Amino acid sequence: MPSVALKLYSVFFKFLLKHRLQNLIQNAIDESSNPYGVTTRPEESVSASNPSFTDGVATKDIHIDPFTALSIRIFLPDSSLSPPEQPDLKPNLRSSGNDDPNSHNHRRSSYAPSNVGAPRNDPRRSSLEGLNLRSDNNVYRGYSPSPQNCRKLPIMLQFHGGGWVSGSNESVANDYFCRRIAKLCDVIVIAVGYRLAPENKYPAAFEDGLKVLNWLAKQANLSECSKSMGSGARGVGSEFTKAEVQRHIVDTFGASVVEPWLAAHGDPSRCVLLGVSCGANIVDYVARKAVEAGKRLDPVKVVAQVLMYPFFIGNVPTQSEIKLANSYFYDKAMCLLAWKLFLPKEEFSLDHPAANPLISDRGPPLKFMPPTLTVVAEHDWMRDRAIAYSETLRKVNVDAPVLEYKDAVHEFATLDMLLKTPQAQACAEDIAIWVKKYISTRGHEFSY
């Protein structure tokens, strides 16, 4: 059973959430008056981005849509600075939030990227010095991508929870979680700041998720264009200055510039989607759209998705929806209020495609969906529908395992109070083990 402290915190959490939802309902805003939207609430505790490799991860914020509040935060692990195919042979035993030397996390190896202390003739030193890295006090300020010297990492798009109306990609809790995942999975995490309801109802958050995926594809093509223009100019004996190349790219693609961290270190052909709570609903939608788009998204390829305690619901209640309706933190009554704030009044239905993954006529055919890991909690009233969706995927031969955690509650691995518990750490490690099956380069896969 959950601890007494957790039960008390759940009561306090519910009180605040109910008050917040009722205020939003009473002060409902016509979204046509605020199409720009909001991605965080004033009461949300946020963490500033930090381009230094604090705790092994550098971060930066980018506002990617001039017409809306849609933004992203990039989490770049310092392992990206290791030269390609020359990982440090000595494991870096950083704990990602768990300092117990006997923990499972300390037994998992990750590679230390720094060339600090490397001998002058060490190949790691010469490769890193070729990166044109400009840093002061370990602040990663950017450089001109030099692909032969840069290690390419998979990219993970992460969507936070919060019941459609709260949460933020910049919150302290989400920042901590994304740092942990970036290090454990050895990926570049892009945390998406989608627009919140009720200022922007469905399908705004879903469209924002798809917009970020398309932005990622555009970035990959911009990067390739930059490389080809540079090499092409040298081939004909003429020279382009950096500003001229940049101007040519902007002229061709519109008001866009190459994002240097992704250009140098990102491998969009190994893209994973991860969603927390309602963010899992967005992930499932984005994955479906990626399947429908096919080669139009090249070079982006969604190779897997992770649904962490998805925010699924339906008109016909499941056993857990009946038995656990008054469960911890997010009970059914408050989740219904959140759905009323998110769905347009004329579209409100618990069998809406955004809410129920089990309804018929949701394209594309499920057999084309990417491998899907589902995380559920024992005391979460939404668990049964998530498990049923996973079973449906397995019936059409999609790799869709379920990780169920005993005595756990909704958001047990991402809620601020629970982030540093052994169970939250174990969940992140379990996700990393599964994800690496689909993002590891050939010859470096784990054995299972």
Side-chain angles (χ1 to χ4, degrees), residues 108 181 184-185 427-437 446 448:
R108 178 177 294 119
I181 289 294
L184 287 174
C185 295
C427 178
E429 292 176 357
D430 291 341
I431 289 172
I433 290 171
W434 183 83
V435 163
K436 285 185 177 181
K437 291 197 298 182
F446 285 178
Y448 294 88

Side-chain angles (χ1 to χ4, degrees), residues 85-113:
E85 306 302 323
Q86 294 180 10
D88 190 346
L89 298 180
K90 182 178 179 180
N92 176 10
L93 299 181
R94 280 192 304 267
S95 64
S96 302
N98 185 347
D99 296 326
D100 180 6
N102 297 315
S103 71
H104 172 67
N105 183 64
H106 273 269
R107 296 195 299 271
R108 178 177 294 119
S109 298
S110 60
Y111 295 115

Side-chain angles (χ1 to χ4, degrees), residues 270-384:
R270 294 180 289 160
C271 180
V272 178
L273 309 177
L274 183 148
V276 175
S277 190
C278 63
N281 298 44
I282 301 175
V283 159
D284 191 59
Y285 170 85
V286 173
R288 290 171 184 270
K289 291 300 181 182
V291 170
E292 291 176 351
K295 292 187 178 299
R296 295 196 303 274
L297 270 178
D298 281 351
V300 173
K301 180 176 175 57
V302 176
V303 297
Q305 65 172 343
V306 180
L307 310 179
M308 298 183 69
Y309 20 83
F311 209 63
F312 294 151
I313 196 171
N315 276 328
V316 180
T318 64
Q319 185 176 352
S320 65
E321 289 172 4
I322 297 172
K323 184 179 178 181
L324 301 172
N326 194 35
S327 57
Y328 303 97
F329 295 101
Y330 294 89
D331 61 35
K332 189 172 182 178
M334 280 190 288
C335 290
L336 287 172
L337 288 178
W339 277 108
K340 288 179 180 178
L341 286 166
F342 177 64
L343 293 175
K345 187 175 181 180
E346 62 276 9
E347 293 184 40
F348 182 80
S349 168
L350 297 185
D351 279 338
H352 191 282
N356 190 354
L358 302 177
I359 62 173
S360 57
D361 301 325
R362 286 182 87 216
L366 290 180
K367 65 180 180 180
F368 298 118
M369 290 292 284
T372 303
L373 174 66
T374 303
V375 175
V376 296
E378 181 183 7
H379 298 291
D380 182 3
W381 66 268
M382 292 174 272
R383 60 188 296 279
D384 281 1

